[in-house]
Amino acid sequence: MKNILFILTFIAMLCATYTSLVYAPTEVVMGHIQRIFYFHMGTVWAATIAFIVVFVASIMYLVKEKRKWDIIAYSAAEIGVLFITLTIITGSIWAKPVWGTWWTWDPQLTTTFILWVLYVVYLLLRSGAGKGERAAKYSSIFAIIAFIDLPLVYISARLKRGISPVVFGPGGGGIAPEMLYTLLVSLVAFTLLFIILLKQRIKIIKMRDTLESLKYSGEK
Amino acid sequence: MKGKYKIIIAILVVVTGISYLVFAGVKDTFVYYLTIDELITKVPEVYNDKVRVSGTVVTGSIDNNIDRSLKFKITDGDAVVDVEYQGIVPDIFADDVEAVVEGTLNEQNIFKADLLLAKCPTKYEGEDQLKNPNGYQYKKEKG
């Protein structure tokens, strides 16, 4: 079963690479650099799912007080930070030739940066505060509050003037059909990649927990 | 004790980071850029203030000089502002593109830009779709 997921992710990633580099048409105004869009969106999509998981798992931890939920929240936050970092990097690479700058304090970029800082701080809290239940509870509360910024990232470009384009939804310009298919392949691939990484990370933490408890029982 | 220090450092990072952003990002305007209309209504107080302004590049107004300096006009469809700039030009900068300029308006009403940004299109269209007459508005020579 686990291998099926690995194989599926591998195939999806190959398909996403092919569709974004070969199948998708070259954008008229921006040229080949626009192909980074599929990777940029894939990573921000995975980060979004990750932060939703952190949010839900943090609430569940506060309600149920089960270690399981804490592990899920922490693992998802780590992966979320990884993906949002990649989003910022790919965005910068894209912005340099097209906008003319690596970075600018546009509303969407600013809220994204705040999102990045918040979850990096969350990881710092986790690493510094140890594994006590109180630390886990404080971290859960922090994660729930930090989540407020996520919808802001999405609506900021619509509500405030900025340089980030609104491509989808009402007021957006839309994309060519082939670009949309390519994007969907990419989103599927990144979703699968996220699931795999999350499962692996949870497994590692559980193994560490087992190791700790074995060590503890050994000392007694 | 060690854990407590880390928490304090973490919170300091957040507080300084966010307050810096709020301060530097929005300054006194609370908008990322001014429209040309807003810029003009702020004359003369706006002279020599560092501002960001956005407008559409007037077709045919781009004047490239040999020393890599650049003159062009931006408009909101109504008023027009002359811009002078020297520096890196974004790849997609051309006639009719929405540009964002950062700099100061001088007393001669010339905007001296020290940063020129171009807004990317919100509509992504493939090259082959240009052949479709009902399709895209952009002209080929722009790309």
Side-chain angles (χ1 to χ4, degrees), chain B residues 80-118:
Chain B
V80 176
V81 173
D82 287 278
V83 183
E84 284 182 21
Y85 172 73
Q86 184 159 23
I88 297 163
V89 178
D91 284 359
I92 64 163
F93 180 77
D95 286 348
D96 214 27
V97 158
E98 261 195 80
V100 177
V101 286
E102 222 175 277
T104 52
L105 189 70
N106 68 16
E107 272 112 30
Q108 287 78 48
N109 284 319
I110 290 169
F111 195 92
K112 295 273 188 186
D114 36 50
L115 186 66
L116 167 62
L117 305 177

Side-chain angles (χ1 to χ4, degrees), chain A:
Chain A
M1 188 58 209
K2 197 179 74 192
N3 282 332
I4 292 171
L5 188 60
F6 269 100
I7 292 162
L8 272 178
T9 310
F10 182 69
I11 293 169
M13 275 291 163
L14 282 182
C15 291
T17 310
Y18 176 79
T19 48
S20 45
L21 296 181
V22 182
Y23 167 75
T26 308
E27 212 277 328
V28 184
V29 182
M30 291 178 274
H32 285 301
I33 186 73
Q34 184 268 343
R35 293 176 189 276
I36 207 168
F37 167 71
Y38 309 108
F39 195 80
H40 185 63
M41 288 299 290
T43 55
V44 77
W45 170 260
T48 304
I49 301 174
F51 294 140
I52 291 171
V53 171
V54 177
F55 178 66
V56 174
S58 296
I59 293 174
M60 290 305 286
Y61 180 71
L62 289 179
V63 176
K64 304 246 173 189
E65 295 189 0
K66 288 257 165 58
R67 169 91 176 128
K68 181 181 93 178
W69 292 109
D70 191 39
I71 295 175
I72 294 173
Y74 180 66
S75 307
E78 259 187 10
I79 300 162
V81 167
L82 168 74
F83 280 115
I84 202 74
T85 307
L86 289 171
T87 306
I88 292 171
I89 294 170
T90 50
S92 279
I93 295 170
W94 191 5
K96 182 61 185 164
V98 173
W99 294 347
T101 183
W102 296 105
W103 186 267
T104 180
W105 295 108
D106 143 286
Q108 192 167 42
L109 273 68
T110 308
T111 47
T112 308
F113 179 72
I114 293 171
L115 189 74
W116 183 83
V117 171
L118 285 171
Y119 284 94
V120 166
V121 167
Y122 171 84
L123 293 183
L124 276 174
L125 278 175
R126 300 310 310 256
S127 67
K131 290 198 297 184
E133 271 179 33
R134 260 180 61 175
K137 273 186 189 165
Y138 287 143
S139 304
S140 305
I141 294 165
F142 182 91
I144 292 165
I145 297 167
F147 186 74
I148 297 167
D149 189 47
L150 187 70
L152 291 181
V153 171
Y154 282 88
I155 59 168
S156 58
R158 289 162 201 279
L159 295 185
K160 301 281 282 176
R161 289 175 200 163
I163 194 166
S164 313
V166 175
V167 175
F168 298 102
I175 59 175
E178 294 88 348
M179 291 180 175
L180 186 64
Y181 307 147
T182 306
L183 178 63
L184 292 175
V185 174
S186 180
L187 295 187
V188 169
F190 275 91
T191 308
L192 289 170
L193 182 64
F194 167 75
I195 294 169
I196 277 202
L197 289 174
L198 185 66
K199 285 182 93 169
Q200 290 297 107
R201 194 67 189 94
I202 290 170
K203 205 168 127 191
I204 291 168
I205 296 182
K206 281 185 173 163
M207 280 157 84
R208 208 174 54 193
D209 275 8
T210 315
L211 184 68
E212 290 283 316
S213 64
L214 284 173
K215 256 161 73 182
Y216 181 70
S217 62
E219 276 164 15
K220 261 204 289 193

Side-chain angles (χ1 to χ4, degrees), chain B residues 24-40:
Chain B
V26 294
K27 283 192 193 120
D28 49 350
T29 53
F30 281 97
V31 283
Y32 177 65
Y33 58 74
L34 299 173
T35 61
I36 289 172
D37 195 39
E38 285 163 352
L39 179 78
I40 289 167

